[in-house]
Amino acid sequence: MSNVASQPLSHRERGRGEGTRPVKLPLPEDTLAFCKQLRSHLTSAEQTLWYLLRDRRFLGLKFRRQHSVPPYVLDFYCDAIKLAIELDGGQHNETAAEQRDEKRSVYLHERGIEVLRYWNHEVLNETESVLEDLMQRAQLRAKSLTPTPLPEGEGNAESIS
């Protein structure tokens, strides 16, 4: 079940194109409560990374923590570049957990979301290298999502004489 519905465009918006725009449906109360609980009980690694990501401190990107993409809750998510960051503890090293993580990553990838995974101990002990890797991958992601402009003279109204 998707949490996005379509809503007709207003008279003002119709000049920008025809059709419908996506509208987020409210999340179920139990999902909201679960996300709120996760936000109030962050791990040390999540606290460390959140301090570095919040308030657009990282590359000017807006990240959310414990963001719901039903049926999953992502540790950190940036909608502008469709990037999820997951912090994993030792329990993710077990075969069953690895399979669940892979299934989750495939699900998110099918929705256009790239998932980056870091171990908790990496965030706590190698913070600079995690941030450097994250910066490179976020910049590549942003670049890949930015449309390439048309060459001069193609498709520009000024070039038609």
Side-chain angles (χ1 to χ4, degrees):
M1 181 170 75
S2 176
N3 68 330
V4 176
S6 294
Q7 178 178 344
L9 295 172
S10 69
H11 290 288
R12 174 190 271 171
E13 294 172 313
R14 287 188 188 143
R16 296 185 211 142
E18 296 299 322
T20 59
R21 64 174 180 216
V23 175
K24 286 188 77 169
L25 297 174
L27 292 171
E29 287 298 319
D30 58 336
T31 303
L32 286 174
F34 181 62
C35 290
K36 186 176 180 179
Q37 177 196 15
L38 289 174
R39 282 191 294 271
S40 63
H41 296 94
L42 295 175
T43 66
S44 297
E46 289 172 334
Q47 287 174 353
T48 299
L49 192 57
W50 179 237
Y51 177 78
L52 298 166
L53 297 178
R54 67 188 300 259
D55 295 330
R56 299 180 195 269
R57 292 177 183 169
F58 185 77
L59 300 176
L61 296 169
K62 177 173 178 55
F63 279 89
R64 298 178 180 131
R65 63 188 166 128
Q66 307 306 337
H67 177 74
S68 179
V69 176
Y72 301 108
V73 177
L74 308 175
D75 290 339
F76 302 98
Y77 178 67
C78 177
D79 190 53
I81 59 172
K82 305 263 186 249
L83 181 69
I85 302 170
E86 291 294 306
L87 302 185
D88 296 337
Q91 72 275 15
H92 288 266
N93 213 10
E94 300 169 7
T95 304
E98 287 175 350
Q99 290 171 346
R100 281 192 307 272
D101 289 344
E102 181 59 28
K103 179 181 173 187
R104 173 187 177 117
S105 293
V106 168
Y107 177 87
L108 294 168
H109 181 73
E110 288 171 351
R111 281 143 188 83
I113 299 171
E114 182 179 348
V115 180
L116 304 181
R117 293 188 169 278
Y118 299 101
W119 294 103
N120 287 341
H121 67 85
E122 287 179 307
V123 173
L124 293 172
N125 300 323
E126 303 166 30
T127 310
E128 290 296 321
S129 62
V130 168
L131 285 177
E132 186 175 319
D133 180 66
L134 178 56
M135 180 176 62
Q136 290 174 355
R137 294 174 72 178
Q139 288 172 334
L140 279 173
R141 180 77 176 160
K143 193 174 191 177
S144 73
L145 295 177
T146 304
T148 305
L150 291 172
E152 190 63 37
E154 291 188 33
N156 297 334
E158 298 97 32
S159 66
I160 301 173
S161 8

